[in-house]
Amino acid sequence: MNFCSDNVSPVAPEIMAALLSANQGAAMPYGHDDYTQRLNSRFAELFETNVTVFPVATGTAANALALACLTPVYGAIYCHAQAHIYEDECGAPEFYTGGAKLVPLPGNHGKLNPEILRQTPMGAGVVHQVQPAAVSLTQATEAGTVYTVAEVAAIAEVARAKQLFLHVDGARFANALVHLGCTPAQITWQAGVDVLCFGATKNGAMAAEAVVFFNSDLAQAFQFRRKRGGHLWSKLRFLSVQLEAYLEDNLWLKQASHANALAQKLAQGLIHLPGVNLCHPVEANEVFVELPESLIVALEQAGVQFYRWPDDDSQMIRLVTGFNTSEQEVRAFLALAKQHSLLPV
Amino acid sequence: MNFCSDNVSPVAPEIMAALLSANQGAAMPYGHDDYTQRLNSRFAELFETNVTVFPVATGTAANALALACLTPVYGAIYCHAQAHIYEDECGAPEFYTGGAKLVPLPGNHGKLNPEILRQTPMGAGVVHQVQPAAVSLTQATEAGTVYTVAEVAAIAEVARAKQLFLHVDGARFANALVHLGCTPAQITWQAGVDVLCFGATKNGAMAAEAVVFFNSDLAQAFQFRRKRGGHLWSKLRFLSVQLEAYLEDNLWLKQASHANALAQKLAQGLIHLPGVNLCHPVEANEVFVELPESLIVALEQAGVQFYRWPDDDSQMIRLVTGFNTSEQEVRAFLALAKQHSLLPV
Amino acid sequence: MNFCSDNVSPVAPEIMAALLSANQGAAMPYGHDDYTQRLNSRFAELFETNVTVFPVATGTAANALALACLTPVYGAIYCHAQAHIYEDECGAPEFYTGGAKLVPLPGNHGKLNPEILRQTPMGAGVVHQVQPAAVSLTQATEAGTVYTVAEVAAIAEVARAKQLFLHVDGARFANALVHLGCTPAQITWQAGVDVLCFGATKNGAMAAEAVVFFNSDLAQAFQFRRKRGGHLWSKLRFLSVQLEAYLEDNLWLKQASHANALAQKLAQGLIHLPGVNLCHPVEANEVFVELPESLIVALEQAGVQFYRWPDDDSQMIRLVTGFNTSEQEVRAFLALAKQHSLLPV
Amino acid sequence: MNFCSDNVSPVAPEIMAALLSANQGAAMPYGHDDYTQRLNSRFAELFETNVTVFPVATGTAANALALACLTPVYGAIYCHAQAHIYEDECGAPEFYTGGAKLVPLPGNHGKLNPEILRQTPMGAGVVHQVQPAAVSLTQATEAGTVYTVAEVAAIAEVARAKQLFLHVDGARFANALVHLGCTPAQITWQAGVDVLCFGATKNGAMAAEAVVFFNSDLAQAFQFRRKRGGHLWSKLRFLSVQLEAYLEDNLWLKQASHANALAQKLAQGLIHLPGVNLCHPVEANEVFVELPESLIVALEQAGVQFYRWPDDDSQMIRLVTGFNTSEQEVRAFLALAKQHSLLPV
């Protein structure tokens, strides 16, 4: 039982099969292969609009490279104080942007609040201050919640009013989408998103993310920045084919639905136990829950793998389900939790 | 027939098999998997000394990250004027080092000349000038030649005298090594190399290079720089296992020997044709050869794929063999060349 | 009446005279002049210890260059959320450090709180997070308050425990010192400070700040970073002589005492007026005070120059006194405030 | 006798007087003073066109900041291999541009050759290579020569054809202009220059250079980059007034004429001595001349100050005259040279 993260999962069999099938003979390097060449049209179909798509191997690279296309070096990027780009990328956005500033904003359940964004002083035109450039939100959020179409649109409206580009870190975009039940178009460009980092790694790829620009002007520098960042694979077919297989037959949506459903089961099974509090609504594939210390210890001692959150001293734990998490694992976990919950401390 | 580059090749079957075998169940992310954990000892055995090894997916990332560990932002890195890091990485070393200067030096057949290096004014301690930090050589070189142990040692001696670290871009290290017939230790740390970018992608991996530090002090910052550069895979096992399989049963050496032998065949077959001049000694898996324009055109029209070098107006072409190039392809190419060579222009 | 800032002031006559006296004949450039050569010993005397001193023309340059010597590119610098380096330097520290992260911390009256610093999670050794490198405090603070020796020592103790270097932005160091009545040594290196940006511009220089390293190891890269930043004057004597004249005959302390005393007068005169609230203790040369809107408008209409703080919508205003502010100006201001305070709104 | 550089000179009395006269009462900071406010119109008059002007204190800052406005981080700047920006600024252009590459080109007597520029492969659109962004020339050059209007126009024509912006490092622009006898407009924007770093420090200012944009679109980011670089003085009037005084009554041209004339005298006096070779045409205020070793030593021993060039082992020396060099000094130097020249070795 490993609920540490969705990135502990292996590669989906369908994607591994696609890698094997792409492994035939010579192919021109650096994206001049068939798989990469058809990515733009494949994603255009998915998003029902023209897009410019760049595959990269990691979410950190996707986010940092995308943000670097949205801000001058003296720019400000507004994000949630718990955003992955702010907390967990060792300064990659600062590195790729040439030192732009990420401005942390508060917000409930991991979500940016449009009103707070609106009221944040941004110093546009004031030479002493970094200049407003972009806003970044995470979909699904770091708290396992999902922005509705209306919520994204409300942030986009403030962003537009303040001339900020809107970036979405979609490391768990699939999980968000199946929760929302809307189209990819509705929750992205139709709601005002300029660029989406469309994650695949956490949901079954080996190492593949697509940076999807809905505004092609913003994409001009991307190819040079990607090469300069060392993120242009020579054998790029093996990255692109992962994305192709990920979309094929709605694999991505099926896998995300599976993971989301199991997260719901975990949450439903836990909330009835004594001393258990759900910390955030469970809308994607993550469960944040407060447990009695005795129960946390018992689960740890039983060999279940998960993280206390945000750190080792916390009473809150995070449970993440993946495309390959099984119903049995969830049932076994809940049985264990129930059993230790009933024991006297 | 595709002689454009060794990066047009697919993944070696042994490496693809290893990827499949690693695709079992959960594994802790970011290098806390078994494959990554045993890389240091596997490479230590190979190099007969303690090493600190970091896997990354591209050669550009390997070089740029390694160099960033060797130089202050105001440093100078001395390299050949045709070095890949100088010419072909869109400024990645400048990006990762924070703006250090790559100083291009001349040298025959792609090799740095220790005497030229010695005589280059470096302005150590002069505040107006970037400060000497490192020297970088490519093994095998961009001209398809190979530094002997004595040649590396001679450069290392100058480097040591000038307090420069010695970096080796080993995108084709395997090809160099089989040419030399020495041990990996002899041509690296025993000759004075501080850090080697040990390439695998061009010789059969999907996307895998190992940055091998022989001086562990230099490696301290690497993990942070790698994460910050977006080069730390979450599912790192799939990168590390490529390197493991690459070394297993001397796969890397067998494949490089094969490619080198075919490059020799190409060279031997071409040099007897009228108007053909070999431009550099063929010591690895690349052949640089001047051909009559009519012959180049004839080969192009016959559908053979290769690059004129250094650009489209050149009379010199570059032919690269890979682990998967076949004897038949080489024979067919030579037959074609011979046939068109005999035709009246 | 201009209370906008101490940087609206001219150059002190004594410093202008020193510039004239230095303007004789040739002097070797880039610091090889007599004025610069004796700076180290002059500051060593002042601080009663060996120091390494570098003159630069602006406070932003001083802070950003100093911080760049204290942190790796992937480092974190902890500072107050209202710190000048965080809010008012257009990202200069991020630029000079190569993208290190400034982490904003709360604290009353512009001061860092050692307990908050101690409890801030820093992720030392965690590859996903920027690495703890330095703490920066401002003396006097952006709220016009002054850290006591004990307060600096308490922060230094946490810093030491967490292996953070301690930087002080001393743009108004003179004002702080005369308030404290201690020696420069006591409030800096004896309390645990590693590097002080010793401001002179706001207190009477034309454009001169001294970066004072108490830890000479940290100073090694400064000269190269300064040159690279374009901050090494060729005719450096004209920068250094400002600092010499600033220290001569305790000019700096006299001028700061004068400014501080007038700030006290302003505060004392204002607090008895109806609807007036002092927002921060007045310990240096700045007064932050809440006034009735009618009174603010009346003062503005009377032509008094000052800033609403932190922005144009605020009811709080900031009044800054300088070495050249006169008693008459203060009296006239208070008379005006009193007069408009008594009027019916 | 100090012929080391024109930056060993003091401040011209007229400029010092202007500093004194600007030292009256309060003035709003950061350029909101009268002196700075009228710079644009003053320079517009001088250049007979609209310009956007920014004063900074050093030539390195002027060049690096200007270049940062002309290139993306992945850009290439073509310059002479002896250019100050390439050789003598400790990597400031790389720092300010975020790691753009300076590509060194050969050329006689310090001048870029338009034909060489035209033939330089630039890899426009090739993702592996830095992208052509700007060309930079130095006027007067590092060899003391001056580009004619036709020469600048020829370079500008190549630049335009290759979509490169044209930057001029005019640290000695005054010296070049008086040599040419044309208008400032003719040798700059009318010949195709986009931005000029208009030096004043070497020719009599304390620390003042003007970055003059003829293309205001390019200037948009300058103010933020300047602040971020720590180059926005708070008491900016004291920088701007230097430039005003420098232009007043053609002080700059008078001083440059004086220096140029004395350089001519030095050259004319030296070339008739045995064993003396003029290395470059003397067109500004620098003389590069090969002397017999015995003569160099004799001059050194007599206490004359100058540099062997390019380094201490050279037989070539550089003599620089300044606005304050006197006829007597030149006569005395020549007498000394003549005397030691006649002595048996």
Side-chain angles (χ1 to χ4, degrees):
Chain A
M1 280 185 280
N2 189 323
F3 297 102
C4 286
S5 178
D6 26 14
N7 60 28
V8 304
S9 63
V11 180
E14 294 86 345
I15 292 173
M16 198 53 104
L19 282 165
L20 279 168
S21 83
N23 196 33
Q24 307 295 333
M28 291 304 279
Y30 301 115
H32 300 281
D33 64 89
D34 294 344
Y35 302 95
T36 307
Q37 293 291 310
R38 60 194 183 225
L39 274 186
N40 276 355
S41 61
R42 187 65 195 84
F43 275 86
E45 193 184 316
L46 180 66
F47 283 98
E48 305 171 61
T49 189
N50 283 332
V51 294
T52 310
V53 176
F54 300 94
V56 295
T58 73
T60 295
N63 284 330
L65 282 164
L67 290 170
C69 292
L70 306 186
T71 178
V73 293
Y74 48 85
I77 299 164
Y78 302 92
C79 63
H80 194 279
Q82 268 85 53
H84 199 266
I85 59 170
Y86 189 73
E87 284 283 349
D88 295 304
E89 298 185 343
C90 199
E94 287 89 343
F95 175 45
Y96 275 89
T97 61
K101 188 188 283 282
L102 273 64
V103 179
L105 298 178
N108 294 335
H109 298 312
K111 289 187 190 176
L112 281 179
N113 178 316
E115 217 30 61
I116 290 175
L117 182 66
R118 192 190 307 277
Q119 287 163 18
T120 298
M122 296 189 180
V126 179
V127 78
H128 306 281
Q129 296 178 29
V130 286
Q131 293 298 296
V135 55
S136 173
L137 55 83
T138 313
Q139 178 76 308
T141 73
E142 284 77 9
T145 56
V146 174
Y147 288 91
T148 64
V149 171
E151 286 171 336
V152 172
I155 289 169
E157 194 194 326
V158 180
R160 208 163 29 242
K162 302 212 173 206
Q163 296 185 279
L164 301 165
F165 295 116
L166 180 50
H167 163 262
V168 173
D169 173 354
R172 295 188 178 96
F173 182 72
N175 304 92
L177 195 70
V178 299
H179 170 77
L180 291 168
C182 67
T183 66
Q186 286 168 334
I187 194 61
T188 56
W189 64 275
Q190 290 180 1
V193 173
D194 292 296
V195 58
L196 166 69
C197 292
F198 177 94
T201 309
K202 287 184 196 295
N203 190 30
M206 179 184 285
E209 316 275 310
V211 181
V212 182
F213 283 92
F214 301 107
N215 177 339
S216 66
D217 288 349
L218 295 174
Q220 297 305 309
F222 194 94
Q223 63 166 334
F224 300 108
R225 289 186 178 276
R226 179 177 56 173
K227 173 67 192 177
R228 183 174 178 77
H231 286 289
L232 178 61
W233 283 24
S234 56
K235 300 181 179 178
L236 189 50
R237 56 173 149 169
F238 295 108
L239 209 168
S240 300
V241 75
Q242 295 180 55
L243 292 168
E244 194 170 83
Y246 182 67
L247 297 183
E248 188 71 19
D249 284 333
N250 290 325
L251 177 67
W252 65 305
L253 298 176
K254 292 175 200 164
Q255 297 197 151
S257 296
H258 172 82
N260 283 13
L262 291 185
Q264 280 300 336
K265 285 218 169 121
L266 279 174
Q268 295 308 319
L270 286 168
I271 52 175
H272 301 299
L273 301 181
V276 168
N277 295 306
L278 200 61
C279 304
H280 303 299
V282 175
E283 298 175 344
N285 62 325
E286 297 185 284
V287 179
F288 292 85
V289 66
E290 252 176 19
L291 303 183
E293 176 65 20
S294 60
L295 179 51
I296 298 180
V297 170
L299 292 166
E300 288 170 344
Q301 287 177 349
V304 185
Q305 287 180 286
F306 56 85
Y307 292 124
R308 290 173 187 248
W309 206 261
D311 59 46
D312 290 353
D313 299 330
S314 304
Q315 221 67 68
M316 179 164 77
I317 69 168
R318 187 184 77 157
L319 302 171
V320 190
T321 55
F323 79 93
N324 68 321
T325 305
S326 68
E327 294 251 1
Q328 293 92 307
E329 283 173 292
V330 168
R331 274 200 299 268
F333 175 85
L334 289 174
L336 207 56
K338 196 168 176 187
Q339 170 195 344
H340 286 286
S341 205
L342 299 173
L343 295 175
V345 183
Chain B
M1 280 184 281
N2 189 324
F3 298 103
C4 286
S5 178
D6 27 14
N7 60 27
V8 306
S9 63
V11 180
E14 294 85 345
I15 292 173
M16 198 54 104
L19 282 166
L20 279 168
S21 82
N23 196 32
Q24 307 296 332
M28 292 305 280
Y30 301 115
H32 299 281
D33 64 89
D34 293 345
Y35 302 94
T36 307
Q37 293 292 310
R38 61 195 182 224
L39 274 186
N40 275 356
S41 61
R42 186 66 195 82
F43 275 85
E45 192 185 317
L46 181 66
F47 283 98
E48 306 172 59
T49 189
N50 282 333
V51 294
T52 310
V53 176
F54 300 93
V56 294
T58 74
T60 295
N63 284 330
L65 282 165
L67 290 169
C69 293
L70 306 185
T71 177
V73 294
Y74 49 83
I77 299 163
Y78 302 92
C79 63
H80 194 279
Q82 268 85 53
H84 199 266
I85 59 168
Y86 189 73
E87 284 283 348
D88 295 304
E89 298 185 345
C90 199
E94 288 88 343
F95 176 45
Y96 276 89
T97 60
K101 190 188 279 286
L102 274 64
V103 180
L105 299 178
N108 293 335
H109 299 311
K111 290 188 191 175
L112 281 179
N113 178 316
E115 214 32 61
I116 289 175
L117 183 65
R118 191 188 308 276
Q119 288 164 18
T120 298
M122 296 188 180
V126 178
V127 78
H128 306 281
Q129 296 179 30
V130 288
Q131 293 299 295
V135 56
S136 173
L137 54 84
T138 312
Q139 178 78 306
T141 74
E142 285 77 9
T145 55
V146 174
Y147 288 91
T148 63
V149 171
E151 285 171 337
V152 172
I155 290 168
E157 191 193 329
V158 180
R160 207 161 32 242
K162 302 211 173 206
Q163 295 184 279
L164 301 165
F165 294 115
L166 181 49
H167 164 262
V168 172
D169 173 355
R172 296 189 178 94
F173 183 73
N175 303 93
L177 194 70
V178 299
H179 170 78
L180 291 167
C182 67
T183 67
Q186 286 169 333
I187 194 60
T188 57
W189 64 275
Q190 290 180 1
V193 173
D194 292 295
V195 57
L196 166 70
C197 293
F198 176 94
T201 308
K202 287 183 196 296
N203 191 31
M206 179 183 286
E209 316 277 309
V211 181
V212 183
F213 283 91
F214 301 107
N215 176 338
S216 65
D217 288 348
L218 295 174
Q220 297 305 310
F222 194 94
Q223 63 166 332
F224 299 107
R225 290 185 177 275
R226 178 176 57 173
K227 173 67 191 178
R228 183 174 177 77
H231 286 290
L232 178 61
W233 284 22
S234 55
K235 301 182 180 177
L236 190 50
R237 56 174 148 169
F238 296 106
L239 210 168
S240 300
V241 75
Q242 294 180 57
L243 292 167
E244 191 169 86
Y246 183 67
L247 298 183
E248 189 70 18
D249 284 334
N250 290 324
L251 177 66
W252 66 304
L253 299 175
K254 292 175 199 162
Q255 298 197 151
S257 295
H258 172 83
N260 283 13
L262 292 185
Q264 281 300 335
K265 285 218 169 119
L266 278 174
Q268 296 308 319
L270 286 167
I271 54 175
H272 302 299
L273 301 181
V276 169
N277 295 307
L278 200 61
C279 303
H280 302 299
V282 176
E283 299 175 344
N285 63 325
E286 297 184 284
V287 178
F288 292 85
V289 67
E290 251 175 18
L291 302 183
E293 174 66 20
S294 59
L295 179 50
I296 297 180
V297 171
L299 291 166
E300 288 170 344
Q301 287 176 349
V304 185
Q305 288 179 286
F306 56 85
Y307 293 125
R308 289 172 187 250
W309 206 260
D311 59 47
D312 290 352
D313 300 330
S314 304
Q315 221 67 68
M316 180 164 79
I317 68 168
R318 186 185 78 156
L319 302 170
V320 190
T321 54
F323 79 92
N324 68 322
T325 306
S326 68
E327 293 251 2
Q328 292 92 305
E329 283 173 292
V330 167
R331 274 199 301 266
F333 175 85
L334 289 174
L336 204 58
K338 197 169 177 187
Q339 170 195 347
H340 287 286
S341 205
L342 299 173
L343 295 174
V345 183
Chain C
M1 280 184 277
N2 188 324
F3 297 103
C4 286
S5 177
D6 28 13
N7 61 27
V8 305
S9 63
V11 180
E14 294 86 343
I15 293 173
M16 197 55 102
L19 283 166
L20 280 168
S21 83
N23 196 33
Q24 307 296 332
M28 291 305 278
Y30 300 116
H32 299 282
D33 63 89
D34 294 344
Y35 301 95
T36 308
Q37 294 292 309
R38 60 193 182 224
L39 275 186
N40 275 356
S41 61
R42 186 65 194 84
F43 275 86
E45 193 185 316
L46 182 64
F47 283 97
E48 304 172 60
T49 189
N50 282 333
V51 293
T52 311
V53 176
F54 300 94
V56 294
T58 73
T60 295
N63 284 329
L65 283 164
L67 290 170
C69 293
L70 306 186
T71 178
V73 294
Y74 48 83
I77 299 163
Y78 303 92
C79 63
H80 194 278
Q82 268 84 52
H84 199 266
I85 59 169
Y86 189 73
E87 284 283 348
D88 295 303
E89 298 185 344
C90 198
E94 288 90 343
F95 176 45
Y96 275 89
T97 59
K101 189 187 281 284
L102 273 62
V103 179
L105 298 178
N108 293 336
H109 300 311
K111 290 187 190 176
L112 282 178
N113 178 316
E115 215 32 60
I116 290 175
L117 183 67
R118 191 189 309 275
Q119 288 163 18
T120 299
M122 296 189 181
V126 178
V127 78
H128 306 281
Q129 296 179 30
V130 286
Q131 293 299 296
V135 56
S136 173
L137 56 84
T138 313
Q139 178 78 306
T141 74
E142 284 78 9
T145 55
V146 174
Y147 289 92
T148 63
V149 171
E151 286 172 335
V152 172
I155 290 169
E157 192 193 329
V158 180
R160 206 163 33 243
K162 303 213 173 205
Q163 293 185 279
L164 301 165
F165 294 116
L166 180 50
H167 163 262
V168 172
D169 173 354
R172 295 189 178 95
F173 183 72
N175 303 94
L177 195 70
V178 298
H179 170 77
L180 291 167
C182 67
T183 67
Q186 286 168 334
I187 194 62
T188 57
W189 64 276
Q190 289 181 0
V193 173
D194 292 297
V195 58
L196 167 70
C197 293
F198 177 93
T201 308
K202 288 184 197 295
N203 190 32
M206 179 183 285
E209 316 276 309
V211 181
V212 182
F213 283 92
F214 300 107
N215 176 338
S216 65
D217 288 348
L218 296 173
Q220 297 305 309
F222 194 95
Q223 63 166 334
F224 299 107
R225 289 186 178 274
R226 179 176 57 172
K227 173 66 191 177
R228 182 174 178 76
H231 286 289
L232 178 60
W233 284 22
S234 55
K235 300 182 179 176
L236 190 49
R237 56 171 148 168
F238 295 107
L239 210 169
S240 300
V241 75
Q242 294 179 56
L243 292 167
E244 192 171 84
Y246 183 66
L247 298 183
E248 188 71 19
D249 283 334
N250 291 324
L251 177 66
W252 65 305
L253 299 175
K254 292 175 201 164
Q255 297 197 151
S257 295
H258 171 82
N260 283 13
L262 292 185
Q264 280 300 339
K265 286 220 168 120
L266 279 174
Q268 296 308 320
L270 286 168
I271 53 175
H272 302 299
L273 301 181
V276 169
N277 295 308
L278 201 61
C279 304
H280 302 300
V282 176
E283 298 176 345
N285 63 325
E286 296 184 285
V287 178
F288 292 85
V289 67
E290 253 175 16
L291 303 184
E293 175 65 19
S294 59
L295 180 50
I296 298 180
V297 171
L299 292 166
E300 287 170 344
Q301 288 176 348
V304 184
Q305 287 180 285
F306 57 85
Y307 292 125
R308 288 172 188 250
W309 205 261
D311 58 47
D312 291 352
D313 299 330
S314 305
Q315 222 65 69
M316 180 164 78
I317 68 168
R318 186 184 78 158
L319 302 170
V320 190
T321 54
F323 79 92
N324 67 321
T325 306
S326 68
E327 293 250 3
Q328 291 93 308
E329 283 173 291
V330 168
R331 275 199 299 266
F333 176 85
L334 289 174
L336 206 54
K338 196 170 176 187
Q339 169 194 347
H340 287 286
S341 205
L342 300 174
L343 294 175
V345 183
Chain D
M1 279 185 280
N2 188 323
F3 298 103
C4 286
S5 177
D6 26 14
N7 60 28
V8 305
S9 63
V11 180
E14 293 86 345
I15 292 174
M16 198 53 104
L19 283 166
L20 279 168
S21 83
N23 196 32
Q24 307 296 332
M28 291 305 280
Y30 301 116
H32 299 281
D33 63 90
D34 294 344
Y35 301 95
T36 308
Q37 293 292 309
R38 61 194 182 227
L39 274 186
N40 275 356
S41 62
R42 186 67 195 83
F43 275 85
E45 191 185 317
L46 181 66
F47 282 98
E48 304 172 60
T49 190
N50 283 332
V51 294
T52 310
V53 176
F54 300 94
V56 294
T58 74
T60 295
N63 284 330
L65 282 164
L67 291 169
C69 293
L70 306 185
T71 178
V73 293
Y74 49 84
I77 299 164
Y78 303 92
C79 64
H80 194 279
Q82 268 84 53
H84 199 265
I85 59 170
Y86 189 73
E87 284 282 348
D88 295 304
E89 298 185 344
C90 199
E94 288 89 343
F95 175 45
Y96 275 89
T97 61
K101 189 188 281 283
L102 273 64
V103 180
L105 299 177
N108 293 335
H109 299 311
K111 290 186 189 177
L112 282 178
N113 179 318
E115 216 31 61
I116 290 174
L117 183 65
R118 191 188 309 277
Q119 289 164 18
T120 298
M122 295 188 182
V126 179
V127 78
H128 306 282
Q129 295 179 30
V130 287
Q131 293 299 295
V135 56
S136 172
L137 56 82
T138 313
Q139 179 77 309
T141 74
E142 284 78 9
T145 56
V146 174
Y147 288 91
T148 64
V149 171
E151 286 171 336
V152 172
I155 289 168
E157 194 193 327
V158 180
R160 207 160 32 241
K162 303 213 172 204
Q163 296 184 277
L164 301 165
F165 295 115
L166 180 50
H167 163 262
V168 172
D169 173 355
R172 293 188 180 96
F173 183 73
N175 304 92
L177 194 71
V178 299
H179 170 77
L180 290 167
C182 67
T183 67
Q186 287 169 334
I187 195 60
T188 58
W189 64 276
Q190 290 181 1
V193 173
D194 292 296
V195 57
L196 167 69
C197 293
F198 177 93
T201 309
K202 287 183 195 297
N203 191 31
M206 179 184 286
E209 317 276 309
V211 181
V212 182
F213 283 91
F214 301 107
N215 178 338
S216 65
D217 288 349
L218 295 174
Q220 297 305 309
F222 194 95
Q223 62 166 335
F224 299 107
R225 289 187 177 275
R226 179 177 56 175
K227 173 66 191 178
R228 184 173 176 76
H231 286 290
L232 178 59
W233 282 22
S234 54
K235 301 183 180 176
L236 190 50
R237 57 174 148 169
F238 295 107
L239 209 169
S240 299
V241 75
Q242 293 180 55
L243 293 167
E244 192 170 83
Y246 183 66
L247 297 183
E248 188 70 18
D249 285 333
N250 290 324
L251 177 67
W252 65 304
L253 300 175
K254 291 175 200 164
Q255 297 196 152
S257 295
H258 172 83
N260 283 13
L262 292 185
Q264 281 300 336
K265 285 220 169 117
L266 279 174
Q268 296 308 319
L270 286 167
I271 53 176
H272 302 299
L273 301 182
V276 169
N277 294 307
L278 201 60
C279 303
H280 303 300
V282 176
E283 297 175 346
N285 62 325
E286 298 185 284
V287 178
F288 292 86
V289 67
E290 252 175 19
L291 302 184
E293 176 65 19
S294 59
L295 180 50
I296 298 179
V297 171
L299 291 166
E300 288 171 344
Q301 288 176 346
V304 185
Q305 287 179 286
F306 56 86
Y307 293 125
R308 289 172 186 248
W309 204 261
D311 58 45
D312 291 352
D313 299 331
S314 305
Q315 220 67 67
M316 180 164 77
I317 68 168
R318 185 184 80 158
L319 302 170
V320 190
T321 54
F323 80 92
N324 68 321
T325 306
S326 68
E327 294 251 2
Q328 292 92 308
E329 283 174 290
V330 169
R331 274 199 300 268
F333 176 85
L334 290 174
L336 206 56
K338 196 169 176 187
Q339 170 196 345
H340 287 286
S341 203
L342 300 173
L343 296 174
V345 183

